[in-house]
Structure formats: C-alpha cells, structure tokens
Amino acid sequence: MSWIREGELNLLEKIASNVLKAGPMPKHVAFIMDGNRRFARKKNMERQEGHMQGFNKLAETLRWCKQLSIPEVTVYAFSIENFKRTKEEVDGLLDLARQKFERLLEERENLEKHGVCIRVLGDLNMLPLDLQQLIAKAVLTTKTNNKCFLNVCFAYTSRYEITNAVREMAWGVEQGLIKASDVSEALLSECLYSNNSPNPDLLIRTSGEVRLSDFLLWQTSHSCLVFQSVLWPEYTFWNLCEAILQYQLNHKSIQKARELHREEQALQQLEADRACVADLLQHQGNGKPADAKRRQEALHLCTASREARVQDFLQALKQKRNHFFSDLYGEAVSAYESQS
C-alpha cells in the first residue's frame, strides 16, 4: 500500500469539504491511531493484519487531509511502551515499519511531486540499526519538500521527549552556549523533537479511549481534543469531518487561550530579563540607584545578549541532530557499497 493515495472526493464529500472550508480549518492535526488489535479480533484476523489495515487507513486519511487543505499531520505510530508487548508483536511492528519506509523510498518521486516532507520524532537509538538507517534515508530524502508535512512519532513518549529537551538545555549550559538563566518554557519548546512544527490545532483519538497515552502532552495544552469510538481501521471521511466540526465550534476559545498563554510567556520573559538587569546594575553600581534611561539600555542589552545566545545554542542543537541523520545515512550508503 502506497503512502500517497491518489483520487478525488466524491460529490457528497466535496460538498461537505467546501462547507467545512467556509469556517476556520485546522492547519495541524494529530492522530492517536488506536484500535488496530481490537479490529483484528473483531474480524478474526492476525494482529499483524490489523496493524497493516491501520497503515492503509493512515494513507487514506492523509489523502482526506490533503483534500481538506490540512498541511500537517502527526501520528503516534510506535510508543516506547510498545516495546513491552510480546516479542512476536514488537518484531511484527518493526518489520511493518521496515516495509513501509522501504516503500516510501521507492515513492520518492511521488512524494516530491506532492511536496511531502517526512519527519520521524522519537529516540531512534532504541531501534535496530537497519531501521534507523531506513528512517534517516526517508527523512533526508524528503527534507526539502515543503507543501505538506507528516510527522511520525516512533519510539516516542511525551515524557521522554520533555526529559530529552531538558537534557539538551543542560548540554547547552555545560557547553557554555547558554546560561542557566536563559532556560525558559519557550526554550524548552524549541528543544522538543517537534520544534519544527506548530502545535497541533486538533488531536483525534479513535477506539473510544479517552486518554492521551503520553502523546504530545506539552504541545496539546491549547489544542482541541476529540475522542471518537470508531476503531482506527474503520475510520471514515465523515469521522474526520465530525472532528473538524468540533474544532470549529471551539475555535474562538482555543485561540483566546493561546493568545493569553503567549502574553503570559512574554510577561514571564520580561520579568526574567528585568531580574537579569537588576543583578547586572547591582554588580556595576556604586550604591546609587540607576536612572530610567540606564535601566532601559541595560534591559535592551540583556535581552539582545540572551537572544543571541539562544540562537547560537539552537543552531548548534540543529547541527547535532542533522549530523545524527547524515551519519546514519552515510553508514547505510557505505554498507550498501561494500555489499555491491
């Protein structure tokens, strides 16, 4: 089954699509694709076939999102917790991933035609080396495509992602790239695996479960959460329309919450910069209080210095992550050439 499904919506679907597009549309939708195993039991089929049907549904859902002008999708493909399942099931899921990333590489021209950029979010070191290399190839092959984005969360949990972001900031402090006082909520967001994406507008979970299961906990604090009872392989265009309608009904309150949060973040950063200025003037002063002009100049200097440090740190972090993928890709090419 292809990653990119061709085909148009039928007449009724097109009418529904046009009606929805008259309102505010989500730009980024996240899916917890739950219910593959229950679907397999329901249909008296092997678990692996249930997971295969789940991938087929993902390809179909990506087509619907494209038709609805939703440019970014994030999916929970494989949780770190999934490693606790039986060896047979874990091996089956990893084999399915190998097949699908190999197929993706075969479809690179089609992905380029549609402008699809694939990103994989998670700790790839937990995966077998050959699968890491396949993923690196897929990521690097599509990295310049910019019409639509598919983020595949693999070997991922949100708590692990947040913990890793804290480690990255600690590394930045140890390397002298940033100061401990530069650490902030905004900086942590920039250190997440998902730093290249806006936060999801809409998160959908299927199968009737009403929990996030450690998925995008940080990013969805101001997102519309929709829980639907349908099993993922049975998901339909109309289920997606229902979820988008829920988003539209709550759009104003979501936007208001986001604006308030941005204002609060800006205020917190301003207070932190003012505290930096107070310390600076205290060390430089001779006991006399600084006038307003001097305080303003010091605030501007402190803010500019912090922003420069943060940008240098984020650039170093980006290079470190890029090197991880390019090194994997280089290893894969070398292994292929040695076998030829």
Side-chain angles (χ1 to χ4, degrees):
M1 176 62 68
S2 170
W3 284 73
I4 302 295
R5 296 279 290 272
E6 303 289 348
E8 298 293 325
L9 300 176
N10 64 38
L11 179 60
L12 194 56
E13 290 170 342
K14 284 181 179 178
I15 292 171
S17 172
N18 289 334
V19 170
L20 284 175
K21 287 179 181 179
M25 290 293 290
K27 299 298 183 186
H28 182 183
V29 178
F31 291 93
I32 300 178
M33 307 177 292
D34 197 16
N36 293 341
R37 294 193 294 177
R38 272 172 279 177
F39 174 79
R41 288 196 297 269
K42 178 181 174 181
K43 299 293 184 179
N44 294 312
M45 59 176 62
E46 295 293 325
R47 281 182 179 177
Q48 188 66 6
E49 179 61 23
H51 292 305
M52 179 68 76
Q53 292 295 325
F55 175 82
N56 295 345
K57 183 56 62 176
L58 169 60
E60 190 173 16
T61 303
L62 293 175
R63 178 176 70 87
W64 297 332
C65 288
K66 185 174 181 294
Q67 299 288 353
L68 288 164
S69 302
I70 298 169
E72 187 152 5
V73 171
T74 298
V75 296
Y76 204 0
F78 190 88
S79 166
I80 292 172
E81 295 298 312
N82 290 156
F83 283 112
K84 297 177 181 178
R85 294 182 180 180
T86 65
K87 184 179 185 302
E88 179 184 6
E89 185 173 2
V90 171
D91 288 346
L93 287 167
L94 296 180
D95 284 341
L96 179 60
R98 288 186 183 93
Q99 294 171 28
K100 296 311 172 185
F101 280 108
E102 285 172 353
R103 181 61 187 269
L104 184 149
L105 290 168
E106 293 169 3
E107 295 183 315
R108 65 185 70 185
E109 289 184 5
N110 199 26
L111 291 167
E112 185 176 350
K113 182 181 82 171
H114 290 280
V116 180
C117 175
I118 305 291
R119 302 183 184 123
V120 180
L121 316 182
D123 188 350
L124 302 190
N125 288 307
M126 296 183 180
L127 303 174
L129 181 58
D130 65 318
L131 181 52
Q132 291 184 45
Q133 292 170 342
L134 274 174
I135 289 172
K137 284 183 186 179
V139 169
L140 294 178
T141 298
T142 65
K143 68 180 295 186
T144 59
N145 300 340
N146 59 10
K147 291 182 182 176
C148 47
F149 303 88
L150 173 61
N151 306 309
V152 182
C153 292
F154 210 97
Y156 172 94
T157 64
S158 188
R159 284 176 293 183
Y160 190 95
E161 177 185 31
I162 294 167
T163 302
N164 183 71
V166 173
R167 288 196 198 102
E168 300 287 27
M169 291 188 293
W171 170 79
V173 173
E174 289 170 1
Q175 296 295 314
L177 296 168
I178 53 174
K179 297 180 179 180
S181 59
D182 296 332
V183 173
S184 66
E185 182 182 329
L187 183 57
L188 192 149
S189 294
E190 292 290 337
C191 294
L192 296 173
Y193 298 135
S194 62
N195 68 306
N196 290 315
S197 301
N199 289 336
D201 300 300
L202 170 64
L203 182 146
I204 299 168
R205 177 166 189 160
T206 58
S207 86
E209 297 291 343
V210 288
R211 51 196 168 85
L212 294 180
S213 295
D214 214 348
F215 179 56
L216 301 180
L217 302 180
W218 184 275
Q219 297 90 332
T220 57
S221 58
H222 299 101
S223 303
C224 178
L225 310 182
V226 176
F227 300 97
Q228 297 176 300
S229 59
V230 61
L231 300 177
W232 174 248
E234 297 176 325
Y235 204 69
T236 69
F237 175 80
W238 302 107
N239 293 132
L240 180 56
C241 289
E242 177 195 10
I244 292 171
L245 183 58
Q246 285 293 320
Y247 166 76
Q248 292 180 336
L249 291 172
N250 291 281
H251 178 259
K252 285 186 178 179
S253 61
I254 291 169
Q255 292 304 111
K256 184 177 180 180
R258 286 182 170 181
E259 288 169 11
L260 288 172
H261 182 246
R262 280 193 293 268
E263 291 172 4
E264 183 181 345
Q265 271 193 320
L267 184 60
Q268 288 175 352
Q269 188 60 68
L270 180 59
E271 291 301 320
D273 287 343
R274 283 174 173 165
C276 169
V277 167
D279 289 341
L280 180 66
L281 293 177
Q282 184 175 6
H283 284 95
Q284 292 180 350
N286 53 8
K288 296 180 180 180
D291 59 28
K293 182 180 178 181
R294 188 179 169 206
R295 286 198 303 271
Q296 191 62 34
E297 289 173 349
L299 179 61
H300 177 75
L301 177 63
C302 183
T303 301
S305 298
R306 172 182 54 77
E307 290 175 350
R309 285 193 303 272
V310 166
Q311 287 306 310
D312 287 345
F313 161 65
L314 292 176
Q315 187 61 33
L317 181 58
K318 181 180 179 180
Q319 289 176 354
K320 184 171 75 162
R321 292 178 174 179
N322 287 343
H323 286 157
F324 174 79
F325 282 103
S326 59
D327 288 348
L328 279 173
Y329 184 77
E331 290 170 10
V333 171
S334 298
Y336 177 78
E337 290 175 347
S338 65
Q339 293 171 3
S340 300

